[in-house]
Amino acid sequence: MEVPHDAMVVVADGRKMLMLRNQGDATYPNLQVVKKEVHANPKTSDQKTDSSGSASSTQSGQGAPPAAQGGSMHARGGGAQFAPSRGTMGETDFHQLEEDRFAAEVAEMLKEAALRNDFEALIIVAPPKTLGELRKHYHGSVSDRLAGELAKDLTDHPVPEIEAALQGA
């Protein structure tokens, strides 16, 4: 992938963001760090305060439905019968919610930078899940300047490896 001179390159995941600017040319990027953010995001178990809720059916479930007892449902005045159910409600993944929130914050920051004309071309490098979340929040001014996306997690890689990954994409 060619990285235009002076293009903004954002490398992010759900917890870290590295904003780089290409001081090199399109063929041989020379990425320089402009901004770095690390967002604290503890494990879900460290964020939640109690266990998930549970649900049970409002029907008592006693006895068989009238039709099963040989009678007519209409004759007994019964309506639809529901089977009793018990189970837990889905646990909230606070860690994932925080990652999604961080991606939305990065998208907002990109919108503000685009509206200030801080960049003409933008390349986003992020894991597929984060990239999907970012896309949900792209403003038109960001989408218009998007020169490329790379669905890869490179947040913990040094800048020369990021440059090589972009050149190889």
Side-chain angles (χ1 to χ4, degrees), residues 4-77:
H5 173 74
D6 210 34
M8 187 71 67
V9 177
V10 173
V11 181
D13 63 12
R15 197 172 83 73
K16 299 177 201 165
M17 188 269 313
L18 189 60
M19 184 180 283
L20 308 153
R21 186 168 303 272
N22 183 17
Q23 298 300 318
D25 61 24
T27 309
Y28 299 103
N30 177 13
L31 302 178
Q32 300 298 311
V33 176
V34 174
K35 184 176 184 177
K36 181 179 180 180
E37 273 191 44
V38 178
H39 184 71
N41 188 359
K43 299 181 300 188
T44 292
S45 60
D46 293 340
Q47 294 185 52
K48 66 182 183 178
T49 56
D50 65 21
S51 61
S52 62
S54 63
S56 62
S57 171
T58 56
Q59 298 289 326
S60 67
Q62 295 176 355
Q69 295 172 352
S72 161
M73 288 186 70
H74 295 289
R76 293 186 170 243

Side-chain angles (χ1 to χ4, degrees), residues 19 49 56-57 99 106 111 113 122 133-134 137 141:
M19 184 180 283
T49 56
S56 62
S57 171
E99 287 190 358
V106 169
K111 175 185 113 178
L122 173 68
E133 192 61 31
L134 283 165
H137 301 283
S141 62

Side-chain angles (χ1 to χ4, degrees), residues 79-102:
Q81 298 292 316
F82 298 97
S85 66
R86 297 215 188 287
T88 61
M89 300 178 76
E91 282 195 36
T92 302
D93 185 344
F94 292 104
H95 185 76
Q96 186 61 51
L97 285 175
E98 237 357 88
E99 287 190 358
D100 294 348
R101 186 174 298 126
F102 183 69

Side-chain angles (χ1 to χ4, degrees), residues 124-136 138 149-151:
I124 304 285
V125 180
K129 193 168 201 160
T130 303
L131 193 55
E133 192 61 31
L134 283 165
R135 286 176 182 153
K136 290 180 191 177
Y138 283 165
E149 294 177 324
L150 181 58

